[in-house]
Amino acid sequence: MSSEAPLLVIVDAANVVGSVPDGWWRDRRGAAERLRDRLAADGVPGRDGPVEIVLVVEGAARGVESVPGVRVEAAPGSGDDRMVELVAEANGRRILVVTADRELRERVTDLGAEVTGPRAVRG
């Protein structure tokens, strides 16, 4: 399964949105929707081949809907915990997690995922 499946890209919405002080805190859900739409339109720059994008949202951003090209996962609790679960459930598939959160980076690399920072998808 892992060699034929597209790269799974798991995006830490709160971390990516929070990486630029552009007023996102006034409308967290709107900021997550803008990120989702940018991912749907642009994919992951610099990544050739097909990718499956999962945007993990939490807190005030829950309720953001999936769109073609981006599946949205609303974490019932911690977004970090949900991302770790998604990596663990991937069964050896290639995974890229987009976050700057040091603890999360360590947790997912321990499970075999690659990591990159928010700039990879900020546009």
Side-chain angles (χ1 to χ4, degrees):
M1 168 202 234
S2 61
S3 62
E4 295 178 20
L7 174 67
L8 176 60
V9 179
I10 301 171
V11 180
D12 181 348
N15 190 268
V16 172
V17 164
S19 69
V20 176
D22 60 2
W24 59 264
W25 51 90
R26 290 188 293 269
D27 182 10
R28 293 170 196 259
R29 182 175 173 168
E33 288 171 337
R34 288 188 296 278
L35 174 58
R36 176 206 59 199
D37 294 347
R38 185 169 49 252
L39 290 167
D42 301 338
V44 181
R47 294 289 171 166
D48 293 331
V51 297
E52 177 185 350
I53 300 172
V54 178
L55 181 66
V56 178
V57 297
E58 62 187 346
R62 284 190 194 99
V64 172
E65 299 289 330
S66 295
V67 296
V70 179
R71 184 176 96 223
V72 177
E73 285 272 336
S78 161
D80 290 4
D81 289 346
R82 182 63 188 130
M83 286 179 270
V84 171
E85 290 169 0
L86 289 168
V87 171
E89 293 166 1
N91 297 323
R93 190 171 166 190
R94 283 187 52 229
I95 305 161
L96 176 66
V97 176
V98 181
T99 187
D101 181 306
R102 289 182 188 162
E103 181 182 335
L104 177 59
R105 290 170 78 101
E106 185 175 317
R107 291 173 69 191
V108 298
T109 56
D110 286 349
L111 294 172
E114 298 174 55
V115 294
T116 191
R119 288 185 193 155
V121 297
R122 283 296 305 188

